[in-house]
Amino acid sequence: MTTDWKKEVAARKDDLLSDLEALLRVKSEREDDKATADAPFGPGPRAALEKMLSFGERDGFTVKNVDNYAGHIEFGEGDETLGIFGHMDVVPAGDGWDTDPYEPVIKDNKIYARGSSDDKGPSIAAYYGMKIIKELGLPLSKKVRFVVGSDEESGWGDMDYYFQHEEKPDFGFSPDAEFPIINGEKGNISLLAHFSSSNEGSYTLQSFKSGLRPNMVPGSATAKVTLPAASDFAEFEVALNAFTDEHPVTAKATQADATVTVELVGKSAHGAHPSAGINAGTFLALFLDHFDFAGGAKSFLHVAGAYMHEDFDGKKLGVAYNDEKMGELTMNASLFHFEDGAKEATINLNFRYPQGTTAENLEAGLEESIGSYGVTTTREPHHMLPHYVPVDDPLVATLLSVYEDHTGQKGYEQIIGGGTFGRLLERGVAYGAMFPGYTDTMHQANEFMDLDDLFNSAVIFADAIYRLAK
């Protein structure tokens, strides 16, 4: 008997949407200042993890919470385990929302909230795929385990801890990208550029801050500058207005005697696609670089404005690389921090790099291009190497076949700069939940997921899980 997956999902639409809305109301941003032994990434990620696991308990699955780092929802029997990897943490909401980012709103057949497309919506769709199979009592020859993470957007400390206590599934997928499939992911590393925080010019850079996470293009930036004299403010403001007239940013300056606070707004985007954003940090540095700063402040502003600004492929920094299969390296200048008189200033450079180059090559390129400005670099600890599962692997072939059967569209392999939990397994990929042609709002204001895509992905996930585990 053939299962009508679309009918089964349709019968559960209201329940699926209700569960998703409950998850979206949890503000699951990582908050290190509120972390405890019982909430290693802060109260929000823990609450969202517990909420997701509670669905599994309600629906009669075997559920395990691994010390509030991660957990899993499991059913089935067999010697092999199919793993599905989702995450409940989200990047900070940031500014620019038309609605409350943690009160889901449905309009124009889309659900708006932080996490709706990354990754609470896709996770719920995959969970309901499991739920349908269980409720129908369909026979399986493998275990199916949904692993729920709570630190995917930061350092993957959740999975490091989880796999110290639990065995890895044999193969699987993460519903945290797009269809038809993502079977290759570029390497991912952040290098920290270190500068002196000295000031020696007639202008003084008191502070410069921009960015929320390494995997986000900074959507806003703020600098506090002391002018040579309070009377110089008029000329400074004229220059700022001319700058915003010529560039796709907005800005305002407020004066307190000779000190000026400049706030500049660009557009946030996913760090894997830096060209899709408008980097407020590099634009503000580009503007300020025209004034009489000197010392470490000058190096900080000049390197950010001349070498990092719109250097999406790393050519200015001397690290550009292209691989025939995996494509080009990308660079996102993500976190900027300068405080006058502090020990040092830093800029975080997040690289997504293809096979064929290395972290050592990136460090060498930076040394050659910007080392003369007194810049040194160090590696951030979270480093992911390039990952690829061949298109003829049975896992990839099966998932593509399911996609083709339900969409009527030809499946094809894809390689991305984003990093998903699919790469946790040697035979792991990302699969859905966004369909070709979708509007990417991940890590942006007004993030949404189309409801038709949500329900259609649940149909595909249900069939895919069953074919892989039956």
Side-chain angles (χ1 to χ4, degrees), residues 37-53:
D38 291 331
F41 310 113
R46 170 182 170 166
L49 171 65
E50 291 177 331
K51 175 63 72 174
M52 184 68 188
L53 295 179

Side-chain angles (χ1 to χ4, degrees), residues 118-157:
D118 184 18
D119 180 43
K120 293 176 180 178
S123 290
I124 278 291
Y127 171 72
Y128 265 76
M130 289 177 57
K131 177 178 164 71
I132 289 168
I133 294 168
K134 179 179 180 297
E135 290 178 349
L136 294 179
L138 300 177
L140 302 180
S141 64
K142 301 176 180 66
K143 294 178 182 176
V144 179
R145 179 186 302 171
F146 194 113
V147 181
V148 185
S150 64
D151 187 41
E152 194 270 353
E153 298 291 4
S154 297
W156 290 29

Side-chain angles (χ1 to χ4, degrees), residues 253-326:
T254 54
Q255 181 185 19
D257 295 325
T259 298
V260 177
T261 299
V262 186
E263 299 174 79
L264 186 146
V265 177
K267 177 187 175 184
S268 183
H270 197 299
H273 309 288
S275 61
I278 299 172
N279 193 313
T282 64
F283 269 102
L284 183 53
L286 181 68
F287 168 70
L288 293 176
D289 189 33
H290 291 91
F291 295 91
D292 183 32
F293 293 94
K298 179 63 175 179
S299 294
F300 181 90
L301 295 172
H302 182 67
V303 168
Y307 288 86
M308 299 175 184
H309 179 62
E310 296 188 334
D311 189 35
F312 308 126
D313 55 7
K315 287 180 180 177
K316 298 177 187 176
L317 288 171
V319 296
Y321 189 85
N322 183 72
D323 175 74
E324 184 177 354
K325 179 173 283 292
M326 286 194 158

Side-chain angles (χ1 to χ4, degrees), residues 89-271:
D89 60 306
V90 297
V91 298
D95 301 322
W97 286 76
D98 297 331
T99 59
D100 183 339
Y102 293 106
E103 182 53 49
V105 172
I106 296 176
K107 57 181 179 179
D108 301 325
N109 202 46
K110 302 177 179 67
I111 185 164
Y112 288 81
R114 175 57 90 218
S116 54
S117 62
D118 184 18
D119 180 43
K120 293 176 180 178
S123 290
I124 278 291
Y127 171 72
Y128 265 76
M130 289 177 57
K131 177 178 164 71
I132 289 168
I133 294 168
K134 179 179 180 297
E135 290 178 349
L136 294 179
L138 300 177
L140 302 180
S141 64
K142 301 176 180 66
K143 294 178 182 176
V144 179
R145 179 186 302 171
F146 194 113
V147 181
V148 185
S150 64
D151 187 41
E152 194 270 353
E153 298 291 4
S154 297
W156 290 29
D158 52 351
M159 292 297 104
D160 291 341
Y161 189 91
Y162 178 82
F163 286 122
Q164 290 172 8
H165 298 80
E166 302 291 328
E167 291 185 0
K168 284 191 174 185
D170 297 282
F171 62 101
F173 67 88
S174 175
D176 190 19
E178 59 192 63
F179 293 117
I181 202 167
I182 303 296
N183 58 314
E185 299 182 12
K186 296 176 184 177
N188 186 334
I189 189 172
S190 285
L191 299 181
L192 208 58
H194 301 262
F195 301 79
S196 163
S197 59
S198 63
N199 273 284
E200 301 171 18
S202 63
Y203 282 71
T204 298
L205 184 61
Q206 298 288 355
S207 64
F208 188 112
K209 295 180 181 179
S210 183
L212 296 172
R213 288 284 191 275
N215 58 358
M216 298 176 71
V217 175
S220 63
T222 302
K224 187 172 289 187
V225 175
T226 300
L227 310 178
S231 58
D232 293 318
F233 177 71
E235 181 181 350
F236 184 91
E237 190 171 38
V238 168
L240 182 61
N241 290 335
F243 184 84
T244 56
D245 286 343
E246 295 177 6
H247 297 95
V249 295
T250 59
K252 67 177 181 178
T254 54
Q255 181 185 19
D257 295 325
T259 298
V260 177
T261 299
V262 186
E263 299 174 79
L264 186 146
V265 177
K267 177 187 175 184
S268 183
H270 197 299

